[in-house]
Coordinates of all heavy atoms in Angstrom, one line a residue:
M7 N 0.8 -1.2 0.0 CA 0.0 0.0 0.0 C 0.9 1.3 0.0 O 1.7 1.4 0.9 CB -0.9 0.0 1.3 CG -2.2 -0.7 1.1 SD -3.4 0.2 0.1 CE -4.0 1.4 1.3
S8 N 0.7 2.1 -1.0 CA 1.4 3.4 -1.0 C 0.6 4.4 -0.1 O -0.6 4.3 0.0 CB 1.5 3.9 -2.4 OG 0.2 4.1 -2.9
K9 N 1.4 5.2 0.6 CA 0.7 6.2 1.4 C 0.0 7.3 0.5 O 0.4 7.6 -0.6 CB 1.7 6.9 2.4 CG 2.9 7.5 1.6 CD 3.9 8.0 2.6 CE 5.1 8.5 1.9 NZ 6.1 9.1 2.8
P10 N -1.1 7.8 1.0 CA -1.9 8.7 0.2 C -1.1 10.0 -0.1 O -0.5 10.6 0.8 CB -3.1 9.1 1.1 CG -2.8 8.6 2.5 CD -1.7 7.6 2.4
E11 N -1.1 10.4 -1.3 CA -0.3 11.5 -1.7 C -1.2 12.5 -2.5 O -2.1 12.0 -3.2 CB 0.9 11.1 -2.6 CG 2.0 10.5 -1.7 CD 3.4 10.7 -2.4 OE1 3.4 10.8 -3.6 OE2 4.4 10.7 -1.7
I12 N -0.9 13.7 -2.4 CA -1.6 14.7 -3.2 C -0.6 15.6 -3.9 O 0.6 15.6 -3.6 CB -2.5 15.6 -2.3 CG1 -1.7 16.2 -1.2 CG2 -3.7 14.9 -1.8 CD1 -2.5 17.1 -0.2
V13 N -1.0 16.2 -5.0 CA -0.1 17.0 -5.8 C -0.4 18.5 -5.5 O -1.6 18.9 -5.7 CB -0.2 16.7 -7.3 CG1 0.7 17.6 -8.1 CG2 0.2 15.2 -7.5
C14 N 0.5 19.3 -5.2 CA 0.3 20.7 -4.9 C -0.2 21.4 -6.2 O 0.3 21.2 -7.3 CB 1.6 21.3 -4.5 SG 1.5 23.1 -4.4
W15 N -1.3 22.1 -6.0 CA -1.9 22.8 -7.2 C -1.1 23.9 -7.7 O -1.2 24.4 -8.8 CB -3.3 23.3 -6.8 CG -3.4 24.2 -5.6 CD1 -3.6 23.9 -4.3 CD2 -3.1 25.6 -5.6 NE1 -3.5 25.0 -3.5 CE2 -3.2 26.1 -4.2 CE3 -2.9 26.6 -6.6 CZ2 -3.1 27.4 -3.9 CZ3 -2.7 27.9 -6.2 CH2 -2.8 28.3 -4.8
S16 N -0.1 24.4 -6.8 CA 0.7 25.5 -7.2 C 2.0 25.1 -7.8 O 2.4 25.6 -8.9 CB 0.9 26.4 -6.0 OG 1.8 27.5 -6.3
C17 N 2.7 24.2 -7.2 CA 4.1 23.9 -7.7 C 4.2 22.5 -8.3 O 5.2 22.1 -8.8 CB 5.1 24.1 -6.6 SG 5.0 22.8 -5.2
D18 N 3.0 21.7 -8.3 CA 3.0 20.4 -9.0 C 3.9 19.4 -8.3 O 4.2 18.3 -9.0 CB 3.4 20.5 -10.5 CG 2.1 20.8 -11.3 OD1 1.0 20.7 -10.8 OD2 2.3 21.2 -12.5
V19 N 4.4 19.6 -7.1 CA 5.2 18.6 -6.4 C 4.3 17.8 -5.5 O 3.4 18.3 -4.9 CB 6.3 19.3 -5.6 CG1 7.1 18.3 -4.8 CG2 7.2 20.1 -6.5
S20 N 4.4 16.5 -5.6 CA 3.6 15.6 -4.7 C 4.1 15.6 -3.3 O 5.3 15.7 -3.0 CB 3.5 14.2 -5.3 OG 4.7 13.6 -5.3
L21 N 3.1 15.5 -2.4 CA 3.5 15.5 -1.0 C 2.5 14.5 -0.3 O 1.4 14.3 -0.8 CB 3.4 16.9 -0.3 CG 2.1 17.6 -0.5 CD1 1.7 18.2 0.8 CD2 2.2 18.6 -1.6
S22 N 3.0 14.0 0.8 CA 2.1 13.1 1.6 C 1.2 13.9 2.5 O 1.5 15.1 2.8 CB 2.9 12.0 2.4 OG 3.6 12.7 3.4
L23 N 0.1 13.3 3.0 CA -0.8 14.0 3.9 C -0.1 14.4 5.2 O -0.3 15.4 5.8 CB -2.0 13.1 4.2 CG -3.0 12.9 3.0 CD1 -4.1 12.0 3.4 CD2 -3.5 14.3 2.5
S24 N 0.9 13.5 5.6 CA 1.6 13.8 6.9 C 2.5 15.0 6.7 O 2.7 15.8 7.6 CB 2.3 12.6 7.4 OG 3.2 12.1 6.5
E25 N 3.1 15.1 5.5 CA 4.0 16.3 5.2 C 3.2 17.6 5.3 O 3.6 18.6 5.8 CB 4.6 16.1 3.8 CG 5.8 15.3 3.8 CD 6.4 15.1 2.4 OE1 5.6 14.9 1.4 OE2 7.6 15.2 2.2
R26 N 1.9 17.5 4.8 CA 1.1 18.7 4.8 C 0.7 19.0 6.3 O 0.7 20.2 6.7 CB -0.2 18.4 4.0 CG -1.2 19.5 4.1 CD -2.5 19.0 3.5 NE -3.6 20.0 3.8 CZ -4.3 19.9 4.9 NH1 -4.1 18.9 5.8 NH2 -5.3 20.8 5.2
E27 N 0.4 18.0 7.1 CA 0.1 18.2 8.5 C 1.3 18.9 9.2 O 1.1 19.9 9.9 CB -0.1 16.8 9.2 CG -1.4 16.1 8.9 CD -2.6 16.9 9.4 OE1 -2.7 17.2 10.6 OE2 -3.5 17.3 8.5
E28 N 2.5 18.4 8.9 CA 3.7 19.0 9.6 C 3.9 20.5 9.2 O 4.4 21.2 10.0 CB 4.9 18.2 9.2 CG 5.0 16.9 9.9 CD 6.0 15.9 9.3 OE1 6.8 16.3 8.5 OE2 5.8 14.6 9.5
S29 N 3.4 20.9 8.0 CA 3.6 22.3 7.7 C 2.3 23.1 7.9 O 2.1 24.1 7.2 CB 4.1 22.4 6.2 OG 4.4 21.2 5.7
D30 N 1.5 22.6 8.8 CA 0.2 23.3 9.2 C -0.7 23.5 8.0 O -1.2 24.6 7.8 CB 0.6 24.6 9.9 CG 1.2 24.4 11.2 OD1 0.8 23.5 11.9 OD2 2.1 25.2 11.6
G31 N -0.9 22.5 7.1 CA -1.8 22.7 6.0 C -1.2 23.4 4.9 O -1.9 23.8 3.9
L32 N 0.1 23.7 4.9 CA 0.7 24.4 3.8 C 1.6 23.4 3.0 O 2.1 22.4 3.5 CB 1.6 25.6 4.3 CG 0.9 26.6 5.2 CD1 1.9 27.6 5.6 CD2 -0.2 27.3 4.5
C33 N 1.8 23.8 1.7 CA 2.7 23.0 0.9 C 4.2 23.2 1.5 O 4.6 24.3 1.6 CB 2.7 23.4 -0.5 SG 3.9 22.7 -1.6
P34 N 4.9 22.1 1.8 CA 6.2 22.2 2.3 C 7.2 22.7 1.3 O 8.3 23.2 1.6 CB 6.6 20.8 2.7 CG 5.7 19.9 2.0 CD 4.4 20.7 1.7
H35 N 6.8 22.7 0.0 CA 7.7 23.2 -1.1 C 7.6 24.7 -1.4 O 8.5 25.4 -1.6 CB 7.5 22.3 -2.3 CG 7.7 20.9 -2.0 ND1 8.9 20.2 -1.9 CD2 6.7 19.9 -1.9 CE1 8.7 19.0 -1.6 NE2 7.4 18.7 -1.6
C36 N 6.3 25.1 -1.5 CA 6.1 26.5 -1.9 C 5.2 27.3 -0.9 O 4.9 28.4 -1.2 CB 5.5 26.6 -3.3 SG 3.9 25.9 -3.5
S37 N 4.8 26.6 0.1 CA 4.1 27.3 1.2 C 2.7 27.8 0.9 O 2.2 28.7 1.6 CB 4.9 28.4 1.9 OG 6.1 27.8 2.4
V38 N 2.0 27.3 -0.2 CA 0.7 27.7 -0.4 C -0.2 26.9 0.5 O 0.1 25.8 0.9 CB 0.2 27.6 -1.9 CG1 1.0 28.5 -2.8 CG2 0.3 26.2 -2.4
E39 N -1.5 27.3 0.7 CA -2.4 26.6 1.5 C -3.0 25.5 0.7 O -3.4 25.7 -0.5 CB -3.5 27.5 2.1 CG -4.3 26.8 3.2 CD -5.4 27.7 3.7 OE1 -5.3 28.9 3.5 OE2 -6.3 27.1 4.3
I40 N -3.0 24.3 1.2 CA -3.6 23.1 0.5 C -4.9 22.7 1.2 O -5.0 22.3 2.3 CB -2.6 21.9 0.5 CG1 -1.4 22.4 -0.3 CG2 -3.3 20.7 -0.2 CD1 -0.5 21.3 -0.8
D41 N -6.0 23.0 0.4 CA -7.4 22.7 0.9 C -7.8 21.3 0.5 O -8.0 21.0 -0.6 CB -8.3 23.7 0.3 CG -9.7 23.6 0.9 OD1 -9.9 22.6 1.7 OD2 -10.6 24.4 0.6
L42 N -7.8 20.4 1.5 CA -8.2 19.0 1.2 C -9.5 18.8 0.6 O -9.8 17.9 -0.2 CB -8.0 18.1 2.4 CG -6.6 17.8 2.9 CD1 -6.6 16.8 4.0 CD2 -5.8 17.2 1.7
D43 N -10.5 19.7 1.0 CA -11.9 19.6 0.4 C -11.8 19.7 -1.1 O -12.6 19.0 -1.8 CB -12.7 20.7 1.0 CG -13.2 20.4 2.4 OD1 -13.0 19.2 2.8 OD2 -13.8 21.2 3.0
E44 N -11.0 20.5 -1.6 CA -10.9 20.7 -3.1 C -10.5 19.4 -3.7 O -10.9 19.0 -4.8 CB -10.0 21.8 -3.4 CG -10.7 23.2 -3.4 CD -9.7 24.3 -3.7 OE1 -8.7 24.1 -4.4 OE2 -9.9 25.4 -3.1
Y45 N -9.5 18.7 -3.1 CA -9.0 17.5 -3.7 C -10.1 16.4 -3.6 O -10.2 15.6 -4.5 CB -7.7 17.0 -2.9 CG -6.5 17.8 -3.3 CD1 -6.2 19.0 -2.6 CD2 -5.7 17.4 -4.4 CE1 -5.1 19.7 -2.9 CE2 -4.6 18.2 -4.7 CZ -4.3 19.3 -4.0 OH -3.3 20.1 -4.3
L46 N -10.8 16.4 -2.5 CA -11.9 15.4 -2.4 C -13.0 15.6 -3.5 O -13.4 14.7 -4.1 CB -12.5 15.6 -1.0 CG -13.5 14.5 -0.6 CD1 -12.7 13.2 -0.4 CD2 -14.2 14.8 0.8
V47 N -13.4 16.8 -3.7 CA -14.4 17.1 -4.7 C -13.9 16.7 -6.1 O -14.6 16.1 -6.8 CB -14.8 18.6 -4.7 CG1 -15.5 19.0 -5.9 CG2 -15.6 19.0 -3.4
E48 N -12.6 17.0 -6.3 CA -12.0 16.7 -7.6 C -12.0 15.2 -7.9 O -12.4 14.7 -8.9 CB -10.6 17.2 -7.6 CG -10.1 17.5 -9.0 CD -8.7 18.1 -8.9 OE1 -8.7 19.4 -8.6 OE2 -7.7 17.5 -9.1
S49 N -11.7 14.4 -6.9 CA -11.6 13.0 -7.1 C -13.0 12.3 -7.2 O -13.2 11.4 -7.9 CB -10.8 12.3 -6.0 OG -11.5 12.1 -4.8
L50 N -13.9 12.9 -6.4 CA -15.3 12.4 -6.6 C -15.9 12.7 -8.0 O -16.6 11.9 -8.6 CB -16.2 13.0 -5.5 CG -16.0 12.5 -4.1 CD1 -16.9 13.2 -3.1 CD2 -16.3 11.0 -4.0
T51 N -15.6 13.9 -8.5 CA -16.0 14.2 -9.8 C -15.4 13.3 -10.9 O -16.1 12.9 -11.8 CB -15.7 15.7 -10.1 OG1 -16.1 16.5 -9.1 CG2 -16.3 16.2 -11.4
A52 N -14.1 13.0 -10.7 CA -13.4 12.2 -11.6 C -14.1 10.8 -11.6 O -14.2 10.1 -12.6 CB -12.0 12.1 -11.3
R53 N -14.4 10.3 -10.4 CA -15.0 9.0 -10.3 C -16.4 8.9 -11.0 O -16.7 7.9 -11.6 CB -15.1 8.6 -8.8 CG -13.8 8.0 -8.3 CD -14.0 7.5 -6.9 NE -15.0 6.5 -6.7 CZ -15.3 6.0 -5.5 NH1 -14.6 6.4 -4.4 NH2 -16.2 5.1 -5.4
A54 N -17.2 10.0 -10.8 CA -18.5 10.0 -11.5 C -18.4 10.0 -13.0 O -19.1 9.3 -13.7 CB -19.2 11.3 -11.0
A55 N -17.4 10.7 -13.5 CA -17.1 10.7 -15.0 C -16.7 9.3 -15.4 O -17.1 8.8 -16.5 CB -16.1 11.7 -15.3
D56 N -15.9 8.6 -14.6 CA -15.4 7.3 -15.0 C -16.6 6.3 -15.0 O -16.7 5.5 -15.9 CB -14.4 6.8 -13.9 CG -13.0 7.2 -14.2 OD1 -12.8 7.8 -15.3 OD2 -12.2 7.0 -13.4
K57 N -17.5 6.5 -14.0 CA -18.7 5.6 -14.0 C -19.5 5.7 -15.2 O -20.0 4.8 -15.8 CB -19.5 5.9 -12.7 CG -19.2 5.1 -11.5 CD -20.2 5.3 -10.5 CE -20.0 4.4 -9.3 NZ -20.8 4.7 -8.2
A58 N -19.7 7.0 -15.6 CA -20.6 7.3 -16.8 C -19.9 6.7 -18.1 O -20.6 6.1 -18.9 CB -20.7 8.8 -17.0
R59 N -18.6 6.8 -18.2 CA -17.9 6.2 -19.3 C -18.0 4.7 -19.3 O -18.2 4.1 -20.4 CB -16.4 6.7 -19.3 CG -15.8 6.6 -20.7 CD -14.7 7.6 -20.8 NE -13.7 7.4 -19.7 CZ -13.0 8.4 -19.2 NH1 -13.1 9.6 -19.7 NH2 -12.2 8.2 -18.2
I60 N -17.9 4.1 -18.2 CA -18.0 2.6 -18.1 C -19.4 2.2 -18.5 O -19.5 1.2 -19.3 CB -17.6 2.2 -16.7 CG1 -16.1 2.3 -16.4 CG2 -18.1 0.7 -16.5 CD1 -15.7 2.1 -15.0
A61 N -20.4 2.9 -18.1 CA -21.8 2.6 -18.5 C -21.9 2.6 -20.0 O -22.6 1.8 -20.6 CB -22.8 3.5 -17.8
E62 N -21.3 3.7 -20.6 CA -21.4 3.9 -22.0 C -20.7 2.7 -22.7 O -21.3 2.1 -23.7 CB -20.6 5.1 -22.4 CG -21.2 6.0 -23.4 CD -20.5 7.3 -23.5 OE1 -19.5 7.4 -24.2 OE2 -20.9 8.3 -22.9
L63 N -19.6 2.3 -22.3 CA -18.8 1.2 -22.9 C -19.6 -0.1 -22.7 O -19.6 -0.9 -23.6 CB -17.4 1.0 -22.2 CG -16.4 2.1 -22.6 CD1 -15.2 2.0 -21.8 CD2 -16.1 2.0 -24.1
E64 N -20.2 -0.3 -21.6 CA -21.0 -1.5 -21.4 C -22.2 -1.6 -22.4 O -22.5 -2.7 -22.9 CB -21.6 -1.6 -19.9 CG -20.5 -2.1 -19.0 CD -21.0 -2.1 -17.5 OE1 -22.0 -1.4 -17.3 OE2 -20.3 -2.7 -16.7
D65 N -22.8 -0.5 -22.7 CA -23.8 -0.4 -23.7 C -23.3 -0.8 -25.0 O -23.9 -1.7 -25.7 CB -24.4 1.0 -23.8 CG -25.5 1.3 -22.8 OD1 -25.8 0.4 -22.1 OD2 -26.0 2.4 -22.8
I66 N -22.1 -0.3 -25.4 CA -21.6 -0.6 -26.7 C -21.2 -2.1 -26.8 O -21.5 -2.8 -27.8 CB -20.3 0.3 -27.0 CG1 -20.7 1.7 -27.1 CG2 -19.5 -0.2 -28.2 CD1 -19.6 2.7 -27.2
I67 N -20.7 -2.6 -25.7 CA -20.3 -4.0 -25.7 C -21.5 -4.9 -25.8 O -21.5 -5.9 -26.6 CB -19.4 -4.3 -24.4 CG1 -18.1 -3.7 -24.5 CG2 -19.3 -5.9 -24.2 CD1 -17.3 -3.7 -23.2
S68 N -22.5 -4.6 -25.1 CA -23.7 -5.5 -25.2 C -24.4 -5.4 -26.6 O -24.9 -6.4 -27.0 CB -24.7 -5.1 -24.1 OG -25.1 -3.8 -24.1
E69 N -24.2 -4.2 -27.2 CA -24.7 -4.1 -28.6 C -23.9 -5.0 -29.5 O -24.5 -5.7 -30.4 CB -24.5 -2.7 -29.1 CG -25.7 -1.8 -29.0 CD -25.4 -0.4 -29.5 OE1 -24.7 -0.3 -30.5 OE2 -26.0 0.5 -29.0
L70 N -22.6 -5.1 -29.3 CA -21.7 -5.9 -30.1 C -22.0 -7.4 -29.9 O -22.1 -8.2 -30.9 CB -20.3 -5.6 -29.8 CG -19.7 -4.3 -30.3 CD1 -18.3 -4.1 -29.8 CD2 -19.7 -4.2 -31.8
I71 N -22.3 -7.7 -28.7 CA -22.6 -9.1 -28.3 C -23.9 -9.5 -29.0 O -24.1 -10.6 -29.5 CB -22.6 -9.3 -26.8 CG1 -21.2 -9.2 -26.2 CG2 -23.3 -10.7 -26.4 CD1 -21.1 -9.2 -24.8
A72 N -24.9 -8.6 -29.0 CA -26.2 -8.9 -29.6 C -26.1 -9.1 -31.1 O -26.9 -9.7 -31.7 CB -27.1 -7.7 -29.3
G73 N -25.0 -8.6 -31.7 CA -24.7 -8.9 -33.1 C -25.2 -7.8 -34.1 O -24.3 -7.3 -34.8
T74 N -26.4 -7.5 -34.1 CA -26.9 -6.5 -35.1 C -26.7 -5.1 -34.5 O -26.4 -4.2 -35.3 CB -28.4 -6.7 -35.3 OG1 -29.1 -6.8 -34.1 CG2 -28.6 -8.0 -36.1
G75 N -26.9 -4.9 -33.2 CA -26.7 -3.6 -32.7 C -27.9 -2.7 -32.9 O -28.7 -3.0 -33.8
T76 N -28.0 -1.7 -32.1 CA -29.1 -0.8 -32.2 C -28.8 0.5 -32.8 O -29.6 1.3 -33.3 CB -29.7 -0.5 -30.8 OG1 -28.6 -0.1 -29.9 CG2 -30.4 -1.7 -30.2
S77 N -27.4 0.8 -33.0 CA -27.0 2.0 -33.6 C -27.0 1.8 -35.1 O -26.7 0.7 -35.6 CB -25.7 2.4 -33.1 OG -24.7 1.6 -33.6
P78 N -27.4 2.8 -35.9 CA -27.5 2.7 -37.3 C -26.2 2.3 -38.0 O -26.1 1.6 -38.9 CB -27.9 4.1 -37.8 CG -28.2 4.9 -36.6 CD -27.8 4.2 -35.4
G79 N -25.1 2.8 -37.4 CA -23.7 2.5 -37.9 C -23.4 1.0 -37.8 O -23.0 0.4 -38.8
A80 N -23.7 0.4 -36.7 CA -23.5 -1.0 -36.5 C -24.4 -1.8 -37.4 O -23.9 -2.8 -38.0 CB -23.7 -1.4 -35.0
D81 N -25.6 -1.4 -37.6 CA -26.6 -2.1 -38.5 C -26.1 -2.1 -39.9 O -26.1 -3.1 -40.6 CB -27.9 -1.3 -38.4 CG -29.0 -2.3 -38.1 OD1 -28.8 -3.4 -37.7 OD2 -30.2 -1.9 -38.4
R82 N -25.6 -1.0 -40.4 CA -25.1 -0.9 -41.7 C -23.9 -1.8 -42.0 O -23.8 -2.5 -43.0 CB -24.7 0.6 -42.0 CG -25.7 1.4 -42.8 CD -25.1 2.5 -43.6 NE -24.3 3.4 -42.7 CZ -24.8 4.4 -41.9 NH1 -26.1 4.6 -41.9 NH2 -24.0 5.1 -41.2
K83 N -23.0 -1.8 -41.0 CA -21.8 -2.6 -41.1 C -22.2 -4.1 -41.2 O -21.7 -4.8 -42.0 CB -20.9 -2.4 -39.9 CG -19.8 -1.4 -40.1 CD -18.8 -1.4 -38.9 CE -18.0 -0.1 -38.9 NZ -17.5 0.2 -37.6
Y84 N -23.1 -4.5 -40.4 CA -23.6 -5.8 -40.3 C -24.2 -6.2 -41.7 O -24.0 -7.3 -42.2 CB -24.5 -6.0 -39.2 CG -25.0 -7.4 -38.9 CD1 -24.1 -8.4 -38.5 CD2 -26.3 -7.8 -39.1 CE1 -24.5 -9.7 -38.2 CE2 -26.7 -9.1 -38.9 CZ -25.8 -10.0 -38.5 OH -26.2 -11.3 -38.2
G85 N -25.0 -5.3 -42.2 CA -25.7 -5.6 -43.5 C -24.7 -5.7 -44.6 O -24.8 -6.6 -45.5
R86 N -23.6 -4.8 -44.6 CA -22.6 -4.9 -45.7 C -21.8 -6.2 -45.6 O -21.5 -6.8 -46.6 CB -21.6 -3.7 -45.5 CG -21.9 -2.6 -46.5 CD -20.7 -1.8 -46.8 NE -20.0 -1.3 -45.6 CZ -20.3 -0.1 -45.1 NH1 -21.2 0.6 -45.6 NH2 -19.6 0.3 -44.0
A87 N -21.5 -6.6 -44.4 CA -20.8 -7.9 -44.2 C -21.6 -9.1 -44.7 O -21.1 -10.0 -45.3 CB -20.5 -8.1 -42.7
R88 N -22.9 -9.0 -44.4 CA -23.8 -10.1 -44.9 C -23.9 -10.1 -46.4 O -23.8 -11.2 -47.1 CB -25.2 -10.0 -44.3 CG -25.3 -10.4 -42.9 CD -26.7 -10.5 -42.5 NE -27.5 -11.5 -43.3 CZ -28.6 -12.0 -43.0 NH1 -29.2 -11.6 -41.8 NH2 -29.3 -12.8 -43.8
A89 N -24.0 -8.9 -47.0 CA -24.0 -8.8 -48.5 C -22.8 -9.3 -49.1 O -22.8 -10.0 -50.1 CB -24.3 -7.3 -48.9
A90 N -21.6 -9.0 -48.5 CA -20.3 -9.4 -49.0 C -20.2 -11.0 -49.0 O -19.8 -11.6 -49.9 CB -19.2 -8.8 -48.2
L91 N -20.7 -11.5 -47.9 CA -20.7 -13.0 -47.8 C -21.6 -13.7 -48.8 O -21.2 -14.7 -49.4 CB -21.2 -13.4 -46.4 CG -20.1 -13.3 -45.3 CD1 -20.7 -13.6 -43.9 CD2 -18.9 -14.3 -45.5
A92 N -22.8 -13.1 -49.0 CA -23.7 -13.6 -50.0 C -23.1 -13.5 -51.4 O -23.2 -14.5 -52.2 CB -25.0 -12.8 -50.0
Q93 N -22.4 -12.4 -51.7 CA -21.8 -12.2 -53.0 C -20.7 -13.3 -53.2 O -20.6 -13.9 -54.3 CB -21.2 -10.8 -53.0 CG -20.6 -10.4 -54.4 CD -21.8 -10.3 -55.4 OE1 -22.9 -9.9 -55.1 NE2 -21.5 -10.7 -56.6
Q94 N -19.9 -13.5 -52.2 CA -18.9 -14.5 -52.3 C -19.4 -15.9 -52.6 O -18.9 -16.7 -53.3 CB -18.1 -14.6 -51.0 CG -16.8 -13.7 -51.0 CD -16.1 -13.7 -49.7 OE1 -16.4 -14.5 -48.8 NE2 -15.1 -12.9 -49.6
G95 N -20.6 -16.2 -51.9 CA -21.2 -17.5 -52.0 C -21.7 -17.7 -53.5 O -21.4 -18.7 -54.1
K96 N -22.2 -16.6 -54.1 CA -22.7 -16.7 -55.5 C -21.5 -17.0 -56.4 O -21.6 -17.8 -57.3 CB -23.4 -15.4 -55.9 CG -24.9 -15.4 -55.6 CD -25.5 -14.1 -56.2 CE -26.7 -13.7 -55.3 NZ -26.9 -12.2 -55.4
E97 N -20.4 -16.2 -56.2 CA -19.3 -16.4 -57.1 C -18.7 -17.8 -57.0 O -18.2 -18.3 -58.0 CB -18.2 -15.3 -56.7 CG -18.5 -14.0 -57.3 CD -17.6 -12.9 -56.6 OE1 -16.7 -13.2 -55.9 OE2 -17.9 -11.7 -56.9
G98 N -18.8 -18.3 -55.8 CA -18.3 -19.7 -55.6 C -19.1 -20.7 -56.4 O -18.5 -21.7 -56.9
E99 N -20.4 -20.5 -56.6 CA -21.2 -21.4 -57.3 C -21.0 -21.5 -58.8 O -21.0 -22.5 -59.4 CB -22.7 -21.1 -57.1 CG -23.2 -21.6 -55.7 CD -24.5 -21.0 -55.3 OE1 -25.3 -20.6 -56.3 OE2 -24.8 -20.9 -54.2
T100 N -20.8 -20.2 -59.4 CA -20.6 -20.2 -60.9 C -19.2 -20.6 -61.3 O -18.3 -20.4 -60.7 CB -20.9 -18.8 -61.4 OG1 -20.2 -17.8 -60.6 CG2 -22.4 -18.5 -61.3
Ligands
ZN30 ZN1 3.6 23.6 -3.6

């Protein structure tokens, strides 16, 4: 387990939470105030965005598994692939 680290918004240097404690809530490198609430909000927002993207990908994957898909693009591709196969079949017969 790595210890929790944050990156200073001002100087971009990472520091551990205990380092911040020791400098009274200030960055030990450039002495700006580091507000932990801001970091918390940021990481929660990032997680919500990740969840939305995962849900989107799951939709796409289940469409692909279903074969035909519900999006017009997937439908067209599937139709073209079938037409190409049928064409090949005909050429094989003659
Ligand atoms: Zn700093």
Side-chain angles (χ1 to χ4, degrees):
M7 274 284 282
S8 61
K9 54 186 177 179
E11 284 206 334
I12 50 181
V13 176
C14 172
W15 55 267
S16 176
C17 68
D18 272 347
V19 174
S20 63
L21 55 135
S22 67
L23 291 178
S24 56
E25 277 177 318
R26 176 190 166 272
E27 287 295 304
E28 283 161 21
S29 355
D30 292 323
L32 303 179
C33 172
H35 305 284
C36 66
S37 301
V38 294
E39 194 181 340
I40 298 196
D41 186 355
L42 283 186
D43 280 352
E44 274 175 31
Y45 285 90
L46 190 64
V47 167
E48 205 173 284
S49 79
L50 287 177
T51 309
R53 276 181 60 181
D56 276 354
K57 269 189 175 173
R59 202 154 52 212
I60 288 168
E62 219 171 86
L63 286 175
E64 276 174 349
D65 274 358
I66 292 171
I67 288 168
S68 56
E69 266 181 34
L70 288 174
I71 290 170
T74 53
T76 51
S77 71
D81 230 18
R82 261 203 308 276
K83 263 188 202 161
Y84 186 67
R86 262 209 303 272
R88 281 192 59 163
L91 279 174
Q93 189 64 35
Q94 268 181 6
K96 269 185 212 156
E97 278 166 12
E99 278 167 26
T100 51

